[in-house]
Amino acid sequence: MGIPVKLEVFEGPLDLLLHLIEKNKVDIYDIPIVEITNQYMEYIRGMQHEDLNVMSEFLVMAATLLDIKCRMLLPKEVTEEGEEEDPRQELVEQLLQYKMYKYMAFELKDRELDSGQVMYKSPDIPEEVLEYAEPVDLDQLLGDLTMAKLGEVFREIMKRQAEKIDPVRSKFGKIEKEEVSLSDKFVYVHEYMRQHKRFSFRQLLLEQKSKMHIVVTFLAVLEMMKLGEIHVEQENTCGEIMIERIGEADEYKEASGSDRSDSVYNGGIGGTEQDRSSD
């Protein structure tokens, strides 16, 4: 007749390993893997009727211990630095982390028990006492402060403010948004086309004042190509882009910025999404 033995309940495989190490009083940095593995397997055999989800964690650790046991029998591997690798190193690090968290949990549990034995009382200080503010004696506050000391404090503050100023960025001017109207640029390009029947795109851009003017001029040229007012050609890659107006110069004499911008905003660059989809 077998004698029933009640097994201790552990929270996980690391908890069981830590218990076996402390029970055998061995150094956690030098675990006798053969002896610990045998004791661990004995505990696993007694868990045959436990929940499969719980058993799976212990079986994974059992496989890890057997793997370490086999690697301990083989010749030791050497790292690039010439040091021998210990197959138990990773397991030791996991056990040390688990031990630290376990002891921290015990400490927090003790603090919870201690705080449960403390009684707190709500404050009952009268409002008159809470609202009381000690009067300030100006003579005592100023003390031996003189105008010379005030001037010294002021100079020190101004010096600190000057040190905070970036010597490079402080010389930058104010950046202002440059307003460039597409309709005005249409008038400019049309006026330029009246004087030049054929010209290069580079020549047109050289007349612009800033990068924003160049971008808007480029948009105006694209729209003119779409409206069929100009013809653009380029003989070879990276070659000069030549622009030639279509029609005579007299056609652009009466052209105004508002007239040309209407065509742009109704069916061109500035049009609505509905207008562009209809195109």
Side-chain angles (χ1 to χ4, degrees), residues 12-23:
L14 290 176
D15 194 27
L16 173 57
L17 279 177
L18 191 61
H19 168 73
L20 294 176
I21 291 173
E22 293 176 351
K23 178 181 177 181

Side-chain angles (χ1 to χ4, degrees), residues 22-70:
E22 293 176 351
K23 178 181 177 181
N24 291 275
K25 298 181 179 179
V26 297
D27 186 4
I28 194 172
Y29 294 98
D30 188 17
I31 302 175
I33 199 67
V34 177
E35 182 180 353
I36 295 298
T37 302
N38 293 336
Q39 295 182 17
Y40 186 90
M41 296 304 298
E42 290 180 5
Y43 182 85
I44 293 295
R45 296 187 188 98
M47 295 178 60
Q48 296 179 359
H49 302 289
E50 294 290 337
D51 185 9
L52 184 60
N53 293 328
V54 178
M55 279 291 297
S56 61
E57 299 180 3
F58 287 87
L59 291 176
V60 170
M61 180 56 70
T64 303
L65 290 173
L66 292 176
D67 177 68
I68 296 175
K69 182 179 178 181
C70 294

